[in-house]
Amino acid sequence: MYGFEAMTFNIHGGYLEAIVRGHRAGLLTATDYNNLCQCETLDDIKMHLSATEYGPYLQNEPSPLHTTTIVEKCTLKLVDEYKHMLCQATEPLSTFLEYITYGHMIDNVVLIVTGTLHERDVQELLEKCHPLGMFDSIATLAVAQNMRELYRLVLVDTPLAPYFSECITSEDLDDMNIEIMRNTLYKAYLEDFYKFCQKLGGATAEIMSDLLAFEADRRAVNITINSIGTELTRDDRRKLYSNFGLLYPYGHEELAVCEDIDQVRGAMEKYPPYQSIFSKLSYGESQMLDKAFYEEEVKRLCLAFEQQIKGAGDKEPDVDL
Amino acid sequence: MVVDHETPSLENGQTDKEVEENANVLQFMDSMDAYLTLIHSLSSTLRRGWLELASARHSMGASRVNTVLLDHTSHPAATSLLVTQDEGKVDSGKPHFTLCKWESSSNENSLLGEKQSSQDKLHPQLRHRGSTELYEEKTSSDNKASREVDDPVQKERSKSLSMFGTLVSPKLRAAQLSFEAALETLVEIANMRSEMLCAFDQVNMKLEGRKDEK
């Protein structure tokens, strides 16, 4: 029974929970998005965003604006908020917050390695990296010729080191190897994050298990669909699926042999939570699948906010979120 | 004596001249109509392509679809443009543009067959004033050739997308097809413009000739 954790939660987590709920209140609303849809220029967008929490980040930007500037400044807001929370967090919350950045680290590593393979300038690549995934010595990635060097020169001192055990080969880095490396790292990361949340127990384990399992299942479906018609073999495809989630293990066995989107649908519709997602799509259609999964993810993330309030529901008034 | 006002009582040469002039004007207007239709088609194809690319970027993430991943290593062009003079009219000066797609993967005949069948598939709104039977026979024979080159062409398509990774979203593949169609339309526009300018020159020449006669 985990309800008693609410009695001591506010000692370490009360301030940050209030901060998070404040940030949630600052998210753009449907009205904001309607206004943004009416905008005809980027300056109009800047004007509308000036009335939101993104305003302070855009107000000093000179015209003419570029789309990358708007994206950069809005991302900077997220990064500043995250860093503030990380500074204020104690264990195990600080480790939890660090786990959130590992996915971005993996994306940045793959970006640098791929860009270097295509003879791009390292500075150019570093500018495109996500700020949440930056680490010292990331620029040194450009020197590595194969995964063994990648690990030995750079990644051994990063949080991604434990995830490399299944990737290390002396084969030169090419497009297929990099793709397999990306997905293998992400698989190891998700499994590690899942185990960490399970170890924490309580509300964290309950909520995060559901969210991470959904993420693992979504990745399995995306890997399946994206690998249809490519050189990736069924065995290699199967190895990229995470070892947890609703689809593990029988759903994965079916997905590994799918050759088209309708077979993927057939495999997924056996699971009631995904039946509702696929029912929104017509046969043979795959392009709206991302949107359907995204909407389901947002629904689950919104439900995560209900947990703390419900836990202390006897004494605290209901808060309409 | 019945006077036939339908047929002017002129010598046959002048009547033929008028017929030829009318034909030139019709050809000019036809080519202009086709040109404008192609421009409109290009605009909508490009719009579709950009939207699909934006969807792919949203789906795969900004780190997987961005300009820094474009390949700067030296590699042969997958597609090239061949410019020739129009056949049968050596001194016309009218250029003809031919797109050679994925030329590293198959021979020229297959490429032309695939180009023609894909053009026919993608541009049904073009009006063909020639014989429809001849057009249908040509299309069916080219379709057979086009199926045979599909696999190598698909491989070339996947190879050119590999800069974004090997497991890319179907939206990115759709964007690639849209931009490919846009490239074909651009070449058609160039050919149509060339025809239109040639027809305009001929109409102009006839008008100048009439002025001189007067």
Side-chain angles (χ1 to χ4, degrees):
Chain A
M1 180 85 179
Y2 61 80
F4 293 101
E5 70 187 10
M7 290 169 63
T8 54
F9 176 82
N10 280 345
I11 297 170
H12 295 294
Y15 169 68
L16 282 177
E17 201 212 344
I19 291 285
V20 166
R21 291 191 186 277
H23 290 323
R24 184 179 187 265
L27 291 173
L28 296 183
T29 61
T31 312
D32 291 323
Y33 282 115
N34 284 338
N35 289 339
L36 289 172
C37 286
Q38 307 297 324
C39 295
E40 294 195 1
T41 64
L42 293 178
D43 285 313
D44 288 344
I45 290 181
K46 177 184 165 184
M47 190 185 69
H48 281 291
L49 288 178
S50 64
T52 68
E53 300 219 348
Y54 295 97
Y57 288 84
L58 287 170
Q59 65 188 11
N60 294 328
E61 291 305 312
S63 294
L65 272 180
H66 200 268
T67 48
T68 49
T69 310
I70 295 178
V71 171
E72 191 188 310
K73 294 302 171 188
C74 293
T75 308
L76 186 61
K77 175 184 177 294
L78 171 72
V79 173
D80 286 346
E81 288 168 1
Y82 169 83
K83 282 182 177 165
H84 173 72
M85 286 198 290
L86 187 63
C87 288
Q88 301 292 329
T90 57
E91 284 291 342
L93 180 60
S94 53
T95 303
F96 181 90
L97 289 173
E98 282 167 4
Y99 264 102
I100 293 172
T101 65
Y102 296 169
H104 295 295
M105 267 188 212
I106 293 169
D107 288 339
N108 287 352
V109 165
V110 174
L111 174 66
I112 301 273
V113 169
T114 307
T116 306
L117 192 68
H118 296 153
E119 294 186 7
R120 301 307 298 254
D121 181 49
V122 175
Q123 274 310 119
E124 226 181 339
L125 296 170
L126 288 173
E127 282 166 19
K128 290 286 182 182
C129 288
H130 197 287
L132 282 180
M134 295 299 276
F135 54 90
D136 300 333
S137 73
I138 189 172
T140 320
L141 287 168
V143 171
Q145 299 293 320
N146 56 51
M147 284 180 232
R148 199 174 291 280
E149 279 184 17
L150 208 62
Y151 175 78
R152 193 172 54 83
L153 292 174
V154 185
L155 298 173
V156 66
D157 295 322
T158 66
L160 302 182
Y163 307 147
F164 258 79
S165 59
E166 291 183 39
C167 293
I168 298 181
T169 66
S170 297
E171 285 179 31
D172 277 354
L173 293 163
D174 61 20
D175 292 321
M176 182 53 95
N177 288 342
I178 290 172
E179 192 69 40
I180 291 179
M181 179 181 80
R182 180 211 309 271
N183 286 289
T184 309
L185 284 177
Y186 214 91
K187 170 191 167 181
Y189 154 63
L190 278 183
E191 287 172 0
D192 188 34
F193 197 4
Y194 184 78
K195 281 180 198 151
F196 173 76
C197 294
Q198 291 280 304
K199 211 165 54 173
L200 290 179
T204 306
E206 185 190 337
I207 295 167
M208 289 307 297
S209 296
D210 179 58
L211 292 174
L212 289 172
F214 180 77
E215 180 64 19
D217 292 341
R218 181 167 73 168
R219 284 188 63 81
V221 171
N222 282 339
I223 287 168
T224 307
I225 291 173
N226 294 349
S227 61
I228 289 171
T230 67
E231 294 168 357
L232 196 69
T233 62
R234 288 175 179 182
D235 285 336
D236 285 341
R237 189 197 281 181
R238 176 68 187 83
K239 283 179 198 164
L240 298 180
Y241 300 150
S242 299
N243 293 330
F244 69 100
L246 191 61
L247 297 177
Y248 174 77
Y250 305 112
H252 288 172
E253 297 300 328
E254 290 197 46
L255 283 178
V257 298
C258 288
E259 297 293 335
D260 59 48
I261 183 69
D262 292 327
Q263 288 180 15
V264 172
R265 174 194 284 268
M268 296 296 287
E269 280 182 338
K270 293 171 187 165
Y271 299 87
Y274 303 122
Q275 196 178 25
S276 58
I277 292 173
F278 278 83
S279 65
K280 295 177 192 172
L281 310 173
S282 50
Y283 278 88
E285 185 193 7
S286 64
Q287 301 207 8
M288 298 305 292
L289 186 61
D290 275 335
K291 187 164 180 277
F293 267 113
Y294 185 66
E295 285 171 356
E296 178 67 23
E297 183 193 7
V298 168
K299 220 185 291 179
R300 291 177 187 225
L301 288 168
C302 287
L303 286 175
F305 274 82
E306 302 294 319
Q307 188 62 251
Q308 168 65 358
I309 293 292
K310 290 285 184 204
D314 292 335
K315 290 186 182 173
E316 292 183 20
D318 284 338
V319 174
D320 184 5
L321 295 174
Chain B
M1 181 176 160
V2 175
V3 176
D4 185 2
H5 293 285
E6 296 283 333
T7 310
S9 56
L10 299 170
E11 292 172 42
N12 284 338
Q14 281 182 313
T15 307
D16 287 342
K17 200 174 168 183
E18 280 181 1
V19 166
E20 194 187 333
E21 280 176 9
N22 289 339
N24 285 337
V25 170
L26 273 174
Q27 190 185 358
F28 170 68
M29 290 174 72
D30 256 352
S31 53
M32 180 174 268
D33 179 51
Y35 177 78
L36 291 172
T37 306
L38 284 171
I39 294 275
H40 177 71
S41 165
L42 174 70
S43 169
S44 64
T45 306
L46 282 174
R47 197 180 311 123
R48 188 178 70 226
W50 284 118
L51 273 174
E52 283 161 349
L53 185 63
S55 298
R57 187 180 157 99
H58 179 69
S59 164
M60 291 167 62
S63 67
R64 291 192 65 187
V65 181
N66 63 65
T67 50
V68 296
L69 292 172
L70 296 174
D71 197 350
H72 276 196
T73 57
S74 55
H75 53 275
T79 298
S80 60
L81 185 68
L82 188 64
V83 184
T84 53
Q85 291 298 323
D86 202 11
E87 289 170 12
K89 295 183 182 178
V90 176
D91 56 350
S92 71
K94 188 173 94 173
H96 184 79
F97 305 94
T98 310
L99 193 66
C100 302
K101 281 187 348 180
W102 315 122
E103 56 185 358
S104 59
S105 64
S106 61
N107 60 40
E108 201 177 33
N109 288 338
S110 303
L111 282 165
L112 286 172
E114 200 246 1
K115 174 181 168 271
Q116 280 174 358
S117 67
S118 61
Q119 276 176 5
D120 299 335
K121 192 176 148 192
L122 291 164
H123 303 293
Q125 67 271 29
L126 286 179
R127 294 201 291 272
H128 294 272
R129 287 186 177 268
S131 161
T132 52
E133 285 177 4
L134 179 63
Y135 170 70
E136 278 166 8
E137 279 171 11
K138 207 171 165 189
T139 312
S140 62
S141 66
D142 290 337
N143 276 342
K144 191 182 169 190
S146 71
R147 276 195 293 275
E148 288 168 358
V149 302
D150 270 353
D151 282 341
V153 168
Q154 273 304 115
K155 278 184 188 161
E156 287 293 323
R157 285 196 178 115
S158 298
K159 191 176 156 192
S160 66
L161 275 186
S162 63
M163 71 179 90
F164 300 114
T166 44
L167 302 182
V168 296
S169 164
K171 289 174 190 171
L172 196 63
R173 296 186 202 280
Q176 184 186 39
L177 290 175
S178 294
F179 288 125
E180 216 176 290
L183 191 59
E184 287 165 6
T185 310
L186 274 169
V187 172
E188 281 189 59
I189 287 173
N191 283 328
M192 195 52 64
R193 188 169 186 274
S194 172
E195 266 185 47
M196 186 175 71
L197 290 174
C198 184
F200 176 74
D201 286 341
Q202 286 186 354
V203 167
N204 231 10
M205 253 179 1
K206 298 295 178 193
L207 284 173
E208 295 289 326
R210 268 200 181 178
K211 279 181 192 170
D212 290 341
E213 276 173 18
K214 283 180 185 172

